Amino acid sequence: MSYLDQRVPPKREDRHADTCLAYGGTICGAQKPGRVCALTAGADRAFTQGSICPLLPAMGIMSSLPDTVVLMHGAVGCGSCAHGNNGNVRAGHAARSGQPVDALWLSTALNEIDVVSGGDEKLARAIEEIEAAHHPKAIFVVSGCLPGIIGDDLDAVAARVQPKIAAKILPVHCEGFKSRFMATAYDVIYHALGRNLLPAPTKKQPREKTTINIMTVGSMGRVDELELERLVKELGLKANFFPVFSDPDSLPRAARAALSVSTCPTHDDYFLIHLKEKYGVPYIIRHMPIGIANTSRWLSDIGQHFGLGPQAAALAQAEEKELEKALDDFRPLFQGKRVFLSAGEYRSLATASLLRELGFEIAGIRSFHYDEFADVEIEKLRREGQDFSWSVANVQPFEEANLLKRIKPDLFLGHWHGNNNAARLGIPTQVIYNTGFGYIGYRGAYDLARRLDRKLKNTAFTDRLGRYAGLPYQKSWYRREPFSLIRSRA
Amino acid sequence: MSTAIERPRWTCALGGALAAAAALPRTVPIIHAGPGCAANFAWTQNGASGLQVGGPCAALAFPGTNLQENEVVFGGAERLDEEIEQTLKIMDGDLYFVLTGCVPEVIGDDVDSVVRKYAHRGVAITSASTAGFKGNSYFGYEEVLKTLFAKVLKTKPGRREKTVNVWGLPPMMDVFWKGNLAGVKDLLGLLGYRANVFFGPGASLEEIENAAGAELNIVLSDVYGLEAARLFKKIHGVDFISLPPPFGAAASDRFLKLAGRRLGLPARKISEIIKREGRRHYEFLEPLIDVYNDMEGQRYAIVIGDVNYGCAVADFLTDDLGWLADLVFVTDDLSDDERASLDKARSARARPRPEIIYESRAGAIAEKIDGRWRPSSTKYHNSRRPAFVAGSSLDRALAVSLGAPHLSLSFPVSNRAVLNRGYTGYDGGLRLMEDVISSAILMR
């Protein structure tokens, strides 16, 4: 039975046994005989700081889909992160249609009475009212922590209300306490979309022979989509971007595509397997098109699938040549500068490859989690023969602050809300993703280089911050080993 | 009243409490909750608090128990114990403040006994119950105040002459909270008083501990912080007055009169101060006269905001700029009692005020704005134009539909960078004028 036949998707730690949250060491030190990487899956920390639950990345994707409404079922704070997503949503709509549009989310705002008597009825009423007030194409009905504890049944409510309304109801299981890995969010969203918005498969599945599904992640902006569209168009292929900012009516197209390609392997396997098993759409899940060689590899895989290997190779060669020349402007400033990166698993590793290509030396990487998908990127980094600090943490700035004090990099690249430590320590910082800035493909490599050049040409902002802004840790913490709070609970 | 709240213009109790606890001097909040709460609040502030996130102990740096399924089944008290023990070894602070979220409160963790253990050891530690299902961020702010008043303040600190306590502006929910507190401190300075403001750069733990020695408590809100003021009075016997944040000259006059009278200052001295400050204020304003007059700067205004901003901004536009703030929407989710007391407080003020409309849904607000606010081809149309929308960043679509300029003042404020800007006091009024008029003439 496919995962998507079940009402609730499995959590990452159950689906990928190797998934790990806590490791501290080096990139080469994580190697074990016969394995690319072997970390202790159950490891965690005796002290933890605020982390990110699956609801946050899920909200980022859900709130982008036009003509949909997100109904948060939980306490009124769950989903207030939508205020932060809204800037991306407005900019994303403006980039696609010329008009900024605010995301639309609501909350059932469960209270003390609901906690005792259950929130099912409130949820049912709220869904019907949303239909009447907004007539959306789909309503994401999202569970925060509370319904998961008090025993509300999202799926039963959805099934009961669905016959009364036109909008498709999509139950989304996002109880924060159920998974330690925010990557579970991707499965949860694909689960909701796959179960509810794709057509029933037919015997002779219709096929668009030159259309490829390019799986998008919430952190990719329109500018990145345009770069990938440009490249596959050169091979005579049409890009169908899925699912970020996709109109619910256009989602069924994914089942008719000739191929699906991941842009972030840890993000997509759940859905790509489903598209293959149910609709016969083959898939490639291997590289992230961040970095020059990575982009060429990504392109080459697609070319080979369509028997266009030579064309893809020629395209990659021409693109690389043009880019290399353009990058000459920046290389002298970048050469040998030591850089530290911290972000999602795949993004942190792929971006490290790109920075090496730009002439930087990698001083350290922190990945938000580890799973088997990262092995291919880890091998690429090891192939260069240099070892460096590598750790796995769902953020945990205290460890990072300790590391940065020891490693003293020249430059830091961090996730959204992940550059605070480094900036306070006076290290120039660059956000590793923010939708609207280019990171992907050849042009993304150039765009990032241009931004880093700008950052390094005037570091006054972080220089002065470093002199005056403190960190909230005791001095004695910096004398302790950075990974001393990690314990293995296998 | 709809069942679900559309785009809530607040977050939950934990979010409000965390923003408040993080704003206390030398304080380390410890979040006992599920795993995503800290980041959720960081993302919320990112898009709603004028680009301000976190505090000295920033965003994702708050210690937290990140409860998982295992704790939901077996209880999270042990995990909290471990987290506190480690926090004391790693995080640098003089007060540790445990805040609980939904998960531990539903499963019934005994937080008090864990916290008590450390308190008995002499650790400066306290806790507040701030589950999201108990209330919104304003409620969470009030819980932090009540905790301070009941558990952190010394009970008989000795009288502190010429000091007052001030609260009612929830950090981050009031996006301009730092500047607004500083402005009120300055006003009280004019009366010869030192204000203990609890939160932000002007506060100290020593002052907070001795707050019960103050002569008077001043609540800068018709709703937020009143319950805490009643608790303060009950425990420490200090009386309070309440009024909206004094944005601009007219409201500052009222503030000085009321506070001065309650502090026993002679009426003549108060009016001297008001006259002197007024002359100084208008020295800055005078050069505006020509251009403001010639461009016919006066507007009809729609004010949309939380209790504090809805009232104080409407008062400012009416009393200082002489605008016609005909529609005032308060977007908070208030109880009937709170609405009644707010309406009563407003009607008691000098000038007749437009009746408050309680509504937070963007669509419902738009429906209540009638044809007089919209362009018309009728030959003689007594329209409410030129109009101005003073609200939150969620009210931009409305302003665009009316063809009216807009300024984000009330949470969420996504499209302004705010550092120490504040609108209270006489100088605050100048800044609010600058901001309002500047956004009305963007195309000049």
Side-chain angles (χ1 to χ4, degrees), chain A residues 34-272:
Chain A
R35 302 275 304 276
V36 173
C37 190
L39 307 182
T40 311
D44 63 5
R45 289 169 174 82
F47 170 72
T48 57
Q49 291 167 298
S51 69
I52 303 172
C53 77
L55 176 60
L56 278 85
M59 193 59 149
I61 301 174
M62 292 185 290
S63 57
S64 78
L65 270 64
D67 293 320
T68 66
V69 174
V70 180
L71 174 59
M72 279 304 313
H73 189 43
V76 72
C78 271
S80 66
C81 55
H83 284 292
N85 293 130
N86 197 32
N88 286 343
V89 173
R90 288 173 61 85
H93 281 295
R96 288 167 178 86
S97 71
Q99 285 297 323
V101 179
D102 286 311
L104 183 53
W105 74 99
L106 294 94
S107 169
T108 55
L110 295 176
N111 58 30
E112 280 175 292
I113 298 164
D114 302 322
V115 167
V116 176
S117 54
D120 284 347
E121 288 318 306
K122 201 172 186 181
L123 180 63
R125 261 198 326 273
I127 298 171
E128 290 184 49
E129 285 170 10
I130 289 172
E131 167 83 4
H134 302 287
H135 315 291
K137 288 177 182 164
I139 303 170
F140 291 98
V141 176
V142 189
S143 168
C145 283
L146 273 181
I149 302 176
I150 63 175
D152 282 1
D153 191 338
L154 246 64
D155 297 274
V157 172
R160 179 153 59 85
V161 178
Q162 185 65 78
K164 297 191 221 170
I165 71 167
K168 281 273 188 188
I169 304 173
L170 279 58
V172 178
H173 297 272
C174 251
E175 299 89 344
F177 67 86
K178 287 208 172 156
S179 176
R180 301 197 297 153
F181 298 90
M182 64 170 170
T184 295
Y186 315 136
D187 303 351
V188 162
I189 292 298
Y190 280 138
H191 190 84
L193 297 176
R195 274 170 66 87
N196 298 290
L197 292 180
L198 292 189
T202 52
K203 236 185 215 155
K204 179 89 185 71
Q205 187 64 32
R207 195 67 64 209
E208 295 181 23
K209 289 197 164 50
T210 56
T211 297
I212 61 172
N213 295 322
I214 297 181
M215 314 311 289
T216 49
V217 297
S219 54
M220 240 167 91
R222 181 64 183 149
V223 57
D224 288 328
E225 289 181 6
L226 289 172
E227 168 67 355
L228 295 179
E229 189 167 47
R230 175 183 79 83
L231 292 171
V232 299
K233 214 171 156 187
E234 294 275 345
L235 298 177
L237 300 171
K238 287 195 278 290
N240 176 43
F241 292 107
F242 187 101
V244 184
F245 279 100
S246 297
D247 187 291
D249 291 341
S250 75
L251 294 180
R253 200 177 162 205
R256 301 196 297 269
L259 176 71
S260 301
V261 192
S262 171
T263 59
C264 176
T266 198
H267 190 278
D268 297 327
D269 72 310
Y270 192 79
F271 195 63
L272 295 190

Side-chain angles (χ1 to χ4, degrees), chain A residues 319-331:
Chain A
E319 289 284 340
E320 284 188 20
K321 199 175 154 201
E322 191 186 352
L323 173 61
E324 289 296 341
K325 196 160 167 250
L327 287 173
D328 282 346
D329 286 351
F330 310 123
R331 290 193 197 279

Side-chain angles (χ1 to χ4, degrees), chain A residues 297-309:
Chain A
R297 288 183 190 111
W298 187 83
L299 209 51
S300 160
D301 282 352
I302 296 171
Q304 273 169 23
H305 177 85
F306 287 97
L308 301 166

Side-chain angles (χ1 to χ4, degrees), chain A residues 11 47-51 77 80-81 83-84 103 105-107 110-111 129 176-177 180 416-417 424 472 474 487, chain B residues 3-5 7-8 11 35 40 43-44 46 55 61-62 64 66 68-69 79 82-83 88-92 133:
Chain A
K11 47 186 179 174
F47 170 72
T48 57
Q49 291 167 298
S51 69
S80 66
C81 55
H83 284 292
W105 74 99
L106 294 94
S107 169
L110 295 176
N111 58 30
E129 285 170 10
F177 67 86
R180 301 197 297 153
W416 217 52
H417 282 295
R424 284 170 188 262
Q474 295 173 23
R487 59 185 174 190
Chain B
T3 307
I5 302 169
R7 296 188 185 109
T11 181
N40 180 55
W43 271 228
T44 304
N46 175 309
F62 299 118
N66 298 318
Q68 292 294 319
E69 216 152 18
R79 175 73 192 90
E82 174 187 60
E83 182 72 13
L88 297 174
K89 292 179 192 159
I90 295 172
M91 304 299 295
D92 179 29
F133 61 84

Side-chain angles (χ1 to χ4, degrees), chain B residues 115-392:
Chain B
V115 170
R116 214 176 308 128
K117 185 177 100 181
Y118 289 93
H120 284 162
R121 271 199 227 157
V123 175
I125 187 167
T126 191
S127 68
S129 160
T130 50
F133 61 84
K134 288 193 170 167
N136 66 16
S137 31
Y138 296 106
F139 172 87
Y141 166 69
E142 189 122 16
E143 288 304 299
V144 167
L145 288 174
K146 284 156 66 179
T147 303
L148 289 175
F149 301 163
K151 301 183 189 170
V152 177
L153 266 57
K154 290 181 192 158
T155 40
K156 288 198 167 43
R159 195 162 167 86
R160 297 220 148 188
E161 294 297 324
K162 297 277 176 196
T163 68
V164 293
N165 299 313
V166 173
W167 64 84
L169 309 179
M172 298 295 185
M173 297 306 301
D174 180 340
V175 177
F176 301 89
W177 64 281
K178 284 182 190 164
N180 285 342
L181 286 174
V184 171
K185 253 188 136 157
D186 288 348
L187 280 180
L188 288 160
L190 297 172
L191 297 175
Y193 275 76
R194 185 175 160 73
N196 166 32
V197 295
F198 298 91
F199 303 102
S204 78
L205 276 182
E206 193 264 334
E207 264 186 326
I208 291 172
E209 283 165 7
N210 291 296
E215 288 183 35
L216 180 69
N217 291 330
I218 301 177
V219 184
L220 300 170
S221 176
D222 285 326
V223 173
Y224 320 135
L226 287 183
E227 206 185 304
R230 287 187 278 269
L231 180 77
F232 198 120
K233 189 173 174 184
K234 200 174 134 202
I235 301 175
H236 305 289
V238 180
D239 204 359
F240 66 93
I241 55 171
S242 68
L243 72 181
F247 290 172
S252 295
D253 291 352
R254 286 193 290 271
F255 178 92
L256 291 175
K257 270 184 215 158
L258 179 63
R261 197 170 65 230
R262 284 301 300 269
L263 292 166
L265 270 73
R268 218 191 53 209
K269 183 163 183 220
I270 299 168
S271 49
E272 268 169 26
I273 295 167
I274 289 174
K275 209 173 272 173
R276 190 185 71 217
E277 288 305 308
R279 268 198 300 273
R280 187 179 157 274
H281 183 72
Y282 280 90
E283 243 180 76
F284 286 103
L285 244 177
E286 279 156 11
L288 181 73
I289 296 170
D290 281 355
V291 183
Y292 182 69
N293 174 73
D294 297 351
M295 66 173 40
E296 300 205 358
Q298 193 194 27
R299 295 282 189 273
Y300 294 95
I302 298 168
V303 178
I304 306 168
D306 67 3
V307 166
N308 285 4
Y309 276 79
C311 299
V313 171
D315 288 351
F316 169 82
L317 295 177
T318 307
D319 298 336
D320 282 36
L321 275 176
W323 287 15
L324 302 171
D326 287 351
L327 277 177
V328 180
F329 294 93
V330 164
T331 49
D332 285 334
D333 188 18
L334 299 182
S335 69
D336 290 343
D337 285 352
E338 285 170 329
R339 286 183 189 190
S341 85
L342 177 59
D343 290 337
K344 197 176 141 212
R346 277 181 66 72
S347 64
R349 280 177 206 129
R351 235 177 238 264
R353 308 282 158 187
E355 208 173 300
I356 289 171
I357 304 168
Y358 295 95
E359 183 58 74
S360 71
R361 293 166 297 160
I365 288 174
E367 275 167 28
K368 291 191 169 94
I369 292 167
D370 64 30
R372 290 179 307 169
W373 294 85
R374 301 182 190 279
S376 162
S377 51
T378 309
K379 191 171 178 185
Y380 298 110
H381 182 55
N382 183 12
S383 73
R384 293 292 175 270
R385 299 171 69 81
F388 188 94
V389 177
S392 75

